[in-house]
Each structure stands twice: as structure tokens, then as C-alpha cells.
Amino acid sequence: LFVALTLAQLAEEIGAEFAGDAQGKTSVGDVRITGAATLEDATACHVSFLFNSRYQKQLKTTRAGAVIVGRDVQCDRLNLLKTGDPKLAFAKAVIALHGYRRHGHAGAHPGAFVDKTATIGEGTILYPGVNVAARTRIGRDCILYPNVVIYEDCVVGDRVIIHAGASIGHDGFGFATSKGIHHKIPQIGNVVLGDDVEVGPNTTIARAALGSTVIGNGTKIDALAAIGHGVNIGPHGLVVSQVGIAGSTTIGHHATFGGQVGVVGHLEIGNHVTVAAQAAIVNDVQDGEILMGSPSMPIAHGRRVHVLFTKLPELLDRIRDLERRLAELTQKR
Amino acid sequence: LFVALTLAQLAEEIGAEFAGDAQGKTSVGDVRITGAATLEDATACHVSFLFNSRYQKQLKTTRAGAVIVGRDVQCDRLNLLKTGDPKLAFAKAVIALHGYRRHGHAGAHPGAFVDKTATIGEGTILYPGVNVAARTRIGRDCILYPNVVIYEDCVVGDRVIIHAGASIGHDGFGFATSKGIHHKIPQIGNVVLGDDVEVGPNTTIARAALGSTVIGNGTKIDALAAIGHGVNIGPHGLVVSQVGIAGSTTIGHHATFGGQVGVVGHLEIGNHVTVAAQAAIVNDVQDGEILMGSPSMPIAHGRRVHVLFTKLPELLDRIRDLERRLAELTQKR
Amino acid sequence: LFVALTLAQLAEEIGAEFAGDAQGKTSVGDVRITGAATLEDATACHVSFLFNSRYQKQLKTTRAGAVIVGRDVQCDRLNLLKTGDPKLAFAKAVIALHGYRRHGHAGAHPGAFVDKTATIGEGTILYPGVNVAARTRIGRDCILYPNVVIYEDCVVGDRVIIHAGASIGHDGFGFATSKGIHHKIPQIGNVVLGDDVEVGPNTTIARAALGSTVIGNGTKIDALAAIGHGVNIGPHGLVVSQVGIAGSTTIGHHATFGGQVGVVGHLEIGNHVTVAAQAAIVNDVQDGEILMGSPSMPIAHGRRVHVLFTKLPELLDRIRDLERRLAELTQKR
């Protein structure tokens, strides 16, 4: 695959407006874009992008053939492709120029282990070392990378991507402790992954003790997350790496959980909830809340708390000063 | 396997007392229980349970054929199975009705790799992709799920369960740094897992630099925990997902560590210690302590600290108010 | 392999000074050292070591045939091997007496999957279940333990060690969200591991969206770390288990990150930076800084903050006391 697009073709492909002939040196027809690159690495044949203001200064130095930007960005020295959603436009550009990974084989690789009672949809690719246990059903056009393990009776939707080493449907951490001995409770539920779910490498999603652990359509989970038994995450969530969600917690749609967030079990968390990295959620959360901190707080309050936390020595000094002045005042009387 | 039990049979099986004929609509002989389900999902053929008061209100609406409860629960509309330990009774019910996972093969699957000097006890099941290295000894009736790796010279007891992708006995993180270069120290110890240990998926337990990393009999470790080299966890502990325990720390029996807890190296931690999720243990811990927070504190104190932490802006307001009033008072004099 | 060294030979091998004939009971020629062990476990044929003062008291009771110590340690009852760098000397002793792991096969095990377009250097060992994808190049004398996965187009240097189940080069967590749907951005970059890198079990290193995720020469990463797409870690770093580093962050050489540290994306972190366990790095960091806490602070300040954090109830009491005394004072007037 080798693709070369003029700026006009690229602009049309990604739904952007070509903002013109930088410094009069180029015309639309002159530039041929053959790849995408960062502002730092790009050369004349690359399209780049700006959607994090942290990198704005690189507009002055980049050698990119074109840059995808928001509508308000100005830069005379560059060919700009302007759009209301530069990140989406950039995604489209990368798809147009590079496409997604191409696989060396179709269907289940001979090095994958698929139980004879499991079913795999058309177009689904299983890499070597994948293990699909009894009665598990996998939909169409999924990709299971090497060494993914799916235990029995699970259900995987269509277009699901599971990265290397993820474990889906192992036993939840369920024990009945009696006289100091932990007795294993059979975990007779399963895991249901909706359509268009992506699961990061070495992430673990436990089967429910009873019923199902559910990941809703379109939810994306990063690497090394631990999803407990009976958790239900609604559609279109983003769960960043190393998040841990304890058993039986229910989360609405469009959740965003930053890295290393911890969530205790048996909570009800609403829709459109956003949680900053490393926070600890220990109570139910209403729709739309934005939280941070351990324990978590609404973000505006949490930011004040974190600033004051780092200023505790100064607070102590002010208390000491008050004590000294009050003692003086009392003595004088 | 299909099991149907009358309430009388089930009550006997789980050691509970049948509290009678709900609303006069059923008699013991009428109800046939064929499965276990949550209060929400249960129908007339299911036994359910209540041992988290959070779900108490569901007693009013559940359609369960019977519910296992503590001795003090009353609910006229339901067939209750009363017991002093409803969680244990529920575990027994699930075992009686559903049993544990049945495996599609016995012994080592041909897709497992077992070194010719390793030994595997009778009744032990190795799934495809399991790798057991030289001289490792595995006891009887163990289950190693797909892609579990056990490095050389380790010892695994009887009835041990290791979930997919766990790594046992890789090199501990041991380096001697000289002139800015990290020189690898051969890790010549091993890992010893006691009887009835369970290890979660993708959990990692490092071999000792010297001697053994030890997990005591009956200790259960959840997913994605990182156990450092030379750690010794006593019997009957519970280590929840994503816990990290650094090298050479010794932990007594009946430890309970919540999710994402971190423990620094070279500590001595007593028996019956409980640590809340996300806490950081940085000092030795006495028997029976219950800790929370980062850094960790006794739980009663830690709860107060966490409340005050979230109220830091209010504390600052009170300090400012004191400063203002004191300034006024001083000025007036 | 069986090695027995006299104390004189061992002293020479590890560059230490033999401090003599403990209690007149032994002479250099009498003692034959055949292995290394902890102070607690060592017997007369073992060399042991002391480089953590926590274990100093064990000098009084150890039965070790010799102990490697710093130059200032005195202990009449023991044969001491004195050196300015006892940890490095001990590493040399373990190498001399035990050596590194010996492997049961050379090259790629038949149970490994190597794409025909991938290249593997001489002396490199691939264990069963390893998967090396298209066009990935692996240098000489590397060891890839069972079930390691390396996606396509990655580059691995010489003498790299990757422990079981690690995933290198999976897709970074890159999505363009539009109208509540997360659209996957093809991740067209790769991962580059320098020479002498070691990667812990089940650690995940994402491929860059564009360009390369880079781990510098000699950097050692422990178990279960999550390295995001486009991260660049300089040479000779130490990244302890469960660290998470978000995308596009650049870290200088000789970084040391303690367990469970979290680092947000798009940061610039200098050289010789040290971060204590569980800290959160949310801003750029200058060369040489030593940080702790969430949010992170310079360590001296952070220690004071953590002490005051645990004393918040006492601070509140002092504020209340001030309020009471000020009210009395105001009333009296």
C-alpha cells in the first residue's frame, strides 16, 4: 500500500478546508502527502497536526507539508488544513494514508486453541496462543492478538479488538471466609463485551459470580486494567491503563477514568462521569460529575484541596503565629 | 450436570434453617431450586442471597424461589433460608447446584510446555500455552490456566489455581548500580506457593534473589498484583488486584490487602493485618492493625484525616478568619 | 556447574579485601565458598552480604563462611570481605559462584511464532509462546521468555531481556472522539528498545501513534508497568513495578521511578530524576529533582507535608483552641 494525496484530495478526505498557499511557495497541486508525522518529525511529504496547545510553538519550525489545525489557528509559513475537529480529521488522514494494521493470516491461526463448542464469527482473526474456551461466542471482524485468553461461556460482540495477553472471564475474586479459611465460591457468570470494544494488553476482566460482567458497546479499555466480577461499564467509556474497578460496581455511559484510578465495589456511577488519574472513588457518583483525588472530590474543590495539601507547612506556620500572637495578647492583659 | 433441590434438601445441604412457607403460597415440597442468581435476576427456580445491606431493599421485589439470609432478617413474602453465615451458605449452595468449572482435558494439554525435569502431580491440569521450566515441582489437583509461566526450580503445592498469564518465578528486580550502569544480579532463589493458593490472571511473583519468595497455604491473590523477590506472605491472606509488595517484606497470616495497596520493601508486617485500598505501607505493622491512607494510618485516625483533607479550604478560611479577628483586636487596643 | 572458591580467590574475584581470620578459628585456605545466601540462611560454605543497615544485627548470629561488607563494618566473629561497593561485589560473587540462568535450548524454540519478515540476532533465545510480528528486528544475545509478544516493525537492541507475558508494540490508546463515539486512530509508529534493556513480566509498552516509543540503553523496567505511546525514557533508568507513564512524556537518563508512580502525558522530565513510590507527576521536572507525593513535591517538603497530613486532626484542634480563646478574649473586653 502506497498512497499519495494532493492537499485538495486530503482536505476533501478529512473534511477540512485548505487554508492556502503558504508563503506563495506552494500550490495545491504541488504538494503530495504520503504520510502522517509529528510536527517535530514531519517533512514536506507529511501531514501533521496541532490539537494540544503545548506544541503550538512547533508551528514556527516544523517542515510539514501541511498541518491539520483548528479554525482559529494562523500560521503564514504553513499549509493549513482547518477544521472544527482537528483530532478527528487527523484520524481520518492517518486512515487514508496508512490504514489499519494488515494481518498475516485470516481466521484462527493454527497456533490458537479454540474449543470445539466455541463459535467465531466471519472475518475474526485469532493470533497464535489465543485460547477460547467452551461455549464462548465471538462476533464478526474481531481481532484477538497473541495469547489472549477467553474463558468459557463468554460473549464477544462484533469488531472487538483484544490486545496481547488480556484475560477475559477468569474467576472473580470471590471467597466465603469461615474460621479463617477462604472457601472458593464457584463463579458461574460470564463476561459480555459489546460491539466495538477494545481491550488493552494484559488487562483482566473477571467473570461475574452470577450473571454477567458487561462492557458496553464502544467502550475502550487500556492496558493492565483490572475489572472485577459483576462490574457493568456502559457504552462509549474510556478506561485508561491500570484502572481497578472492584466487583458489582455499575458505571453509566461515556465514563472517562484516568490512569490508576481505583473504584470500590457495589457503587452506582452515573453517565458522563470523568475521573482524574490516581483518584479513588468510594461513593456513588451522579451523572456528569468530574472528580479527582483520593478520596475523590469535585474537581474545582479537589484542585483547591491539592494546592492546600502542598501548603500544609505554611498553614502550620500561620497557626503557630496565631498562637504566639494570642499568647502575647493574653499576657499583656 | 443438572441439579434440582427442594428447599428442605437445599437447607440441609447448606446448613441453613428453612424459615417457612412465604405468604402461605408455597410449601417446602413445591419449590424446586435449580440455580443461584442475584436478587435482581432470580426467578422462582433460583436461590438468592443477602449479605450486603446495600441490597436489602431488593427483598421487596425479588422473585427468587428462596433467599439465604442472616438470622435476623425478616421478609414475609419470601422463602428464607436463615443461617449465621449467609455467605458461606451461599457458597455451599452454588457448589451444590452448579459445582466448579469442568475441564475439557486432564493432565498437561499437548499445547503446554513442561520441561522434562519438572514434575506435575496427579490430577493437575495444564492448559495450552502453560510453560513449566526445569526442576519445578507442581503438586496434585492444581489448575494452571492458559499461558501461565513458571520459571525453573519453583515449588507449587496441592490444589493451587493459577489464572491465565500469571508469571511465577521470573527474575526479581535486582541490580547493582555502579558508575550509572545497572548490573544484573543473578536471581538464584525460587518461588514457593503453598497448598490451596490461588493466583489471579497476569499477576507476577518474582523469584527470590537468594532463598525463596513464599506464598503461604490458602492465600488468595487477585489479578495484576506484583509480588517482589523474597517477599513472604503468610497463610490465609487475601491480596486484592493491583497490589504491589516490594522485595523482602514479610507479612504474617490472615493479611487482607485492598486493591492497589503499595508496600515498600524490607518491612515486617504482623498477623491479621488489614489494609484499605490504595494505601501505602512504609513502616513495620503490628499484629491486628487496620490501616488506610497514603501514608497509612490506623483506620479511625485515617478516616478523620481524610475528612479533614477534603475540608482543607474550610480550615484555611478559619485560619484567615482568626487572623482577621486577631488583627482587629490588636488594632483596637 | 559447581564452583568452590577459597576466600582469597573470592576476594580477588569480587575486588574486595579479606579482613582476616575470624576469632583465629579459620584460615583463608580452610574456607571453601560454594554459594551465596542471606545472613539468616547462610552456613559455613556460603558468602553473605550486608548493604542494608536494617539487617546489621544479623552479623551477631549469622553462620556465614564470609560476609561482604562496607569498609567501615567491624565484626570479630566473621570473615569479612571489605569493599567500597558491597552490592556490586556481591553481584560479582553471585555471578562467580552461580552464574546466570542456563537455557534448555538455543535460538527460537519451535513453540515460538516468528514472522518470516522478522529478524533475530545470533545468540538470541525465544521461549515457547513468544510471538514476533512482521518486520520486527531483534538484536544479539537477547532472551525473550515465554509468551512475550512483540508487534510489527519494532526494534530490539542487543542483550535485551524480556520476561514472560510482556507486550511490546501493541496499539497506543489513541482515539478521536466525535459525537460521543471513540474512533480508533491507527497507531503507525513502533517501539525501540535499546541495548541491555530489561522488561519485567506482563509489562506493556505501547507503539507510538507516530514515530517511536523509546526505551534507552540499559534501562530496566520491572513487572506490570504501563508505558504509553510515544513515551521516551532515556538510558540507564530504573522503572519499578506498576509504574504508569502516559503518552508522549519524555524522561531523561538515569531516572528512578518507584512502584505505582503515575506520570501524566506530554511532560518533559529531566535527567537523574528520582520519584518515590505512588507519587503522581503532573508537571515538567528539572534535572536532579527528587520527588514524592500525589501531587508530587520536592522530597524534603513532601516529607513535612505527609507528616502534617497525618496530623490534620491535631491542626484542627489547635484552630478550635484558638477560636475558643479568641472568643473568650473578645467577650472579656
Side-chain angles (χ1 to χ4, degrees):
Chain A
L1 182 93
F2 180 80
V3 174
L5 298 177
T6 65
L7 286 184
Q9 289 170 324
L10 183 58
E12 190 181 346
E13 187 79 44
I14 70 176
E17 178 194 356
F18 177 51
D21 190 356
Q23 301 177 304
K25 282 193 271 187
T26 57
S27 70
V28 173
D30 283 353
V31 181
R32 284 287 187 289
I33 299 297
T34 59
T38 60
L39 288 169
E40 194 174 345
D41 293 341
T43 62
C45 64
H46 290 118
V47 62
S48 192
F49 61 95
L50 177 74
F51 39 79
N52 180 333
S53 60
R54 180 148 191 143
Y55 299 104
Q56 180 125 22
K57 62 185 177 209
Q58 295 187 9
L59 288 186
K60 295 180 189 163
T61 53
T62 184
R63 298 181 298 139
V67 182
I68 299 167
V69 296
R71 294 199 190 286
D72 55 339
V73 173
Q74 298 296 336
C75 184
D76 285 349
R77 63 179 292 277
L78 294 169
N79 295 312
L80 299 179
L81 294 167
K82 295 194 169 184
T83 163
D85 189 342
K87 192 165 185 181
L88 182 64
F90 180 69
K92 288 176 180 172
V94 181
I95 295 167
L97 292 163
H98 298 276
Y100 291 103
R101 178 174 290 115
R102 280 164 290 278
H103 306 281
H105 71 281
H109 189 281
F113 297 89
V114 182
D115 188 275
K116 61 183 188 296
T117 61
T119 60
I120 312 280
E122 204 180 331
T124 286
I125 294 171
L126 271 56
Y127 274 80
V130 167
N131 192 294
V132 180
R135 297 174 302 281
T136 280
R137 302 195 309 271
I138 301 180
R140 300 174 64 132
D141 299 319
C142 296
I143 309 166
L144 274 61
Y145 285 101
N147 304 332
V148 165
V149 177
I150 309 190
Y151 286 60
E152 76 279 11
D153 291 310
C154 294
V155 179
V156 175
D158 295 335
R159 298 172 302 283
V160 169
I161 298 171
I162 309 180
H163 282 284
S167 175
I168 312 291
H170 51 270
D171 292 343
F173 199 62
F175 301 93
T177 301
S178 172
K179 298 174 187 166
I181 307 292
H182 309 299
H183 300 275
K184 184 175 178 67
I185 304 175
Q187 304 285 299
I188 62 171
N190 72 346
V191 174
V192 176
L193 304 182
D195 295 336
D196 302 297
V197 164
E198 184 160 346
V199 176
N202 292 336
T203 275
T204 66
I205 305 177
R207 70 193 308 104
L210 304 168
S212 297
T213 304
V214 178
I215 310 296
N217 292 344
T219 285
K220 314 297 188 185
I221 303 177
D222 202 351
L224 294 169
I227 311 296
H229 52 171
V231 165
N232 188 317
I233 303 180
H236 307 302
L238 289 177
V239 177
V240 177
S241 58
Q242 297 176 321
V243 165
I245 303 176
S248 301
T249 281
T250 296
I251 297 168
H253 57 77
H254 293 94
T256 302
F257 283 17
Q260 300 181 334
V261 162
V263 183
V264 307
H266 300 283
L267 299 184
E268 298 272 342
I269 294 175
N271 300 318
H272 286 286
V273 168
T274 298
V275 183
Q278 280 198 347
I281 306 294
V282 298
N283 292 301
D284 290 352
V285 179
Q286 300 298 309
D287 287 357
E289 284 201 53
I290 305 176
L291 300 171
M292 66 174 285
S294 176
S296 71
M297 298 160 272
I299 194 156
H301 183 76
R303 282 188 179 137
R304 271 196 86 195
V305 166
H306 273 209
V307 168
L308 292 175
F309 172 69
T310 65
K311 292 187 173 171
L312 277 173
E314 185 194 302
L315 291 195
L316 177 64
D317 288 346
R318 288 166 76 170
I319 291 169
R320 281 183 177 147
D321 190 54
L322 282 163
E323 288 168 342
R324 190 182 42 73
R325 286 160 59 200
L326 194 61
E328 282 173 15
L329 208 61
T330 313
Q331 220 161 15
K332 280 188 194 154
R333 290 167 58 87
Chain B
L1 182 93
F2 182 79
V3 174
L5 300 177
T6 65
L7 286 184
Q9 288 170 324
L10 183 58
E12 190 181 347
E13 186 80 43
I14 70 177
E17 177 196 356
F18 177 50
D21 190 356
Q23 301 177 301
K25 280 192 272 187
T26 57
S27 71
V28 173
D30 283 353
V31 180
R32 283 288 186 289
I33 299 296
T34 60
T38 60
L39 289 169
E40 194 174 344
D41 293 341
T43 61
C45 63
H46 290 118
V47 62
S48 191
F49 61 96
L50 178 73
F51 39 79
N52 179 333
S53 60
R54 179 149 191 142
Y55 299 103
Q56 179 126 23
K57 63 184 176 209
Q58 294 186 9
L59 289 185
K60 294 180 191 164
T61 53
T62 185
R63 296 181 298 140
V67 182
I68 298 167
V69 297
R71 293 200 191 287
D72 54 339
V73 173
Q74 299 295 337
C75 184
D76 286 348
R77 62 180 291 280
L78 294 168
N79 295 312
L80 300 179
L81 294 166
K82 295 192 170 186
T83 163
D85 189 342
K87 192 166 185 181
L88 182 64
F90 180 68
K92 289 177 180 171
V94 180
I95 295 168
L97 292 162
H98 298 277
Y100 292 103
R101 178 174 290 115
R102 280 163 291 275
H103 306 281
H105 70 282
H109 188 280
F113 297 88
V114 182
D115 188 274
K116 63 184 185 296
T117 62
T119 60
I120 312 280
E122 202 179 333
T124 286
I125 295 172
L126 271 55
Y127 274 81
V130 166
N131 193 294
V132 181
R135 297 172 303 280
T136 280
R137 303 195 310 272
I138 300 180
R140 301 174 63 130
D141 299 320
C142 297
I143 310 167
L144 274 61
Y145 286 102
N147 303 331
V148 166
V149 176
I150 310 190
Y151 285 62
E152 75 278 12
D153 292 309
C154 294
V155 179
V156 175
D158 296 334
R159 297 173 304 281
V160 170
I161 298 171
I162 310 181
H163 282 284
S167 175
I168 312 291
H170 51 271
D171 292 343
F173 200 62
F175 301 93
T177 301
S178 173
K179 299 175 187 166
I181 307 292
H182 309 299
H183 300 275
K184 183 173 179 69
I185 305 174
Q187 304 286 300
I188 62 172
N190 71 346
V191 174
V192 177
L193 305 182
D195 295 337
D196 302 298
V197 164
E198 183 159 346
V199 176
N202 292 336
T203 275
T204 68
I205 305 177
R207 71 193 306 104
L210 304 167
S212 297
T213 304
V214 178
I215 310 295
N217 292 345
T219 285
K220 313 297 186 184
I221 303 177
D222 201 352
L224 295 169
I227 311 297
H229 52 171
V231 165
N232 188 318
I233 304 179
H236 306 303
L238 290 177
V239 177
V240 176
S241 58
Q242 298 177 321
V243 165
I245 303 175
S248 301
T249 282
T250 295
I251 298 168
H253 57 76
H254 293 95
T256 303
F257 284 16
Q260 301 182 334
V261 162
V263 183
V264 307
H266 299 281
L267 299 184
E268 298 273 342
I269 294 175
N271 300 320
H272 286 287
V273 167
T274 298
V275 183
Q278 281 199 343
I281 306 295
V282 298
N283 291 301
D284 290 353
V285 179
Q286 301 298 308
D287 287 357
E289 284 200 53
I290 305 176
L291 300 171
M292 66 175 284
S294 174
S296 72
M297 298 159 273
I299 193 156
H301 183 75
R303 282 190 179 137
R304 269 196 87 195
V305 166
H306 272 209
V307 167
L308 292 175
F309 173 68
T310 64
K311 292 188 173 170
L312 277 173
E314 185 194 303
L315 291 194
L316 176 63
D317 289 346
R318 288 166 75 170
I319 290 169
R320 281 184 176 149
D321 190 54
L322 282 162
E323 287 169 341
R324 189 181 44 73
R325 285 162 58 199
L326 195 61
E328 283 172 14
L329 207 59
T330 312
Q331 220 162 14
K332 279 189 195 152
R333 290 167 58 89
Chain C
L1 182 94
F2 180 80
V3 174
L5 299 177
T6 66
L7 285 183
Q9 290 170 323
L10 183 58
E12 190 182 347
E13 185 79 44
I14 69 175
E17 178 196 355
F18 177 51
D21 192 356
Q23 303 176 301
K25 281 192 273 186
T26 58
S27 70
V28 173
D30 284 353
V31 180
R32 282 289 186 289
I33 299 296
T34 59
T38 60
L39 288 169
E40 194 174 345
D41 293 341
T43 63
C45 64
H46 289 118
V47 61
S48 192
F49 61 96
L50 178 73
F51 38 79
N52 180 334
S53 60
R54 177 144 195 147
Y55 300 103
Q56 181 124 23
K57 62 185 179 209
Q58 295 186 10
L59 289 185
K60 295 180 190 162
T61 52
T62 184
R63 297 180 299 138
V67 182
I68 300 167
V69 298
R71 294 199 191 286
D72 55 338
V73 174
Q74 300 295 338
C75 184
D76 285 350
R77 61 181 293 277
L78 294 169
N79 295 312
L80 299 180
L81 295 166
K82 295 193 170 187
T83 163
D85 188 344
K87 192 167 185 182
L88 182 64
F90 179 69
K92 289 176 179 171
V94 180
I95 295 167
L97 292 163
H98 298 277
Y100 292 103
R101 178 174 290 116
R102 280 163 291 277
H103 306 281
H105 71 281
H109 189 282
F113 297 88
V114 182
D115 188 275
K116 64 182 186 295
T117 62
T119 61
I120 311 281
E122 204 178 330
T124 286
I125 293 171
L126 271 55
Y127 274 79
V130 166
N131 192 294
V132 181
R135 298 173 301 283
T136 280
R137 303 195 308 272
I138 301 180
R140 299 174 64 130
D141 299 319
C142 297
I143 309 167
L144 274 62
Y145 285 101
N147 303 333
V148 165
V149 176
I150 310 189
Y151 285 61
E152 75 279 13
D153 293 307
C154 293
V155 179
V156 175
D158 295 335
R159 298 173 302 283
V160 170
I161 298 172
I162 309 181
H163 281 284
S167 175
I168 313 291
H170 52 269
D171 292 341
F173 200 61
F175 301 93
T177 301
S178 172
K179 299 176 188 164
I181 307 293
H182 309 298
H183 300 275
K184 183 174 178 68
I185 304 175
Q187 304 286 299
I188 63 173
N190 71 347
V191 173
V192 177
L193 304 182
D195 294 338
D196 302 298
V197 165
E198 183 160 346
V199 177
N202 291 337
T203 274
T204 67
I205 305 178
R207 72 194 305 105
L210 304 169
S212 296
T213 304
V214 178
I215 309 297
N217 291 345
T219 285
K220 314 297 188 185
I221 303 176
D222 200 351
L224 294 171
I227 312 296
H229 52 171
V231 165
N232 189 317
I233 303 180
H236 306 302
L238 290 176
V239 177
V240 176
S241 59
Q242 298 176 322
V243 165
I245 303 176
S248 302
T249 281
T250 296
I251 298 168
H253 57 77
H254 293 95
T256 303
F257 284 15
Q260 300 182 333
V261 162
V263 183
V264 307
H266 301 282
L267 298 184
E268 298 273 342
I269 294 174
N271 300 319
H272 286 285
V273 168
T274 298
V275 184
Q278 280 199 345
I281 306 295
V282 298
N283 292 302
D284 289 352
V285 179
Q286 300 298 309
D287 287 357
E289 284 200 54
I290 305 177
L291 300 172
M292 66 175 284
S294 175
S296 71
M297 298 160 273
I299 193 155
H301 183 76
R303 281 187 180 138
R304 270 196 86 196
V305 166
H306 272 209
V307 168
L308 292 176
F309 172 69
T310 64
K311 291 186 174 171
L312 277 172
E314 186 193 300
L315 291 194
L316 176 64
D317 288 347
R318 288 165 75 170
I319 290 169
R320 281 186 177 145
D321 190 54
L322 281 162
E323 287 169 341
R324 191 182 42 72
R325 285 161 58 200
L326 195 62
E328 283 172 16
L329 208 60
T330 313
Q331 219 161 16
K332 277 187 196 156
R333 291 167 57 87

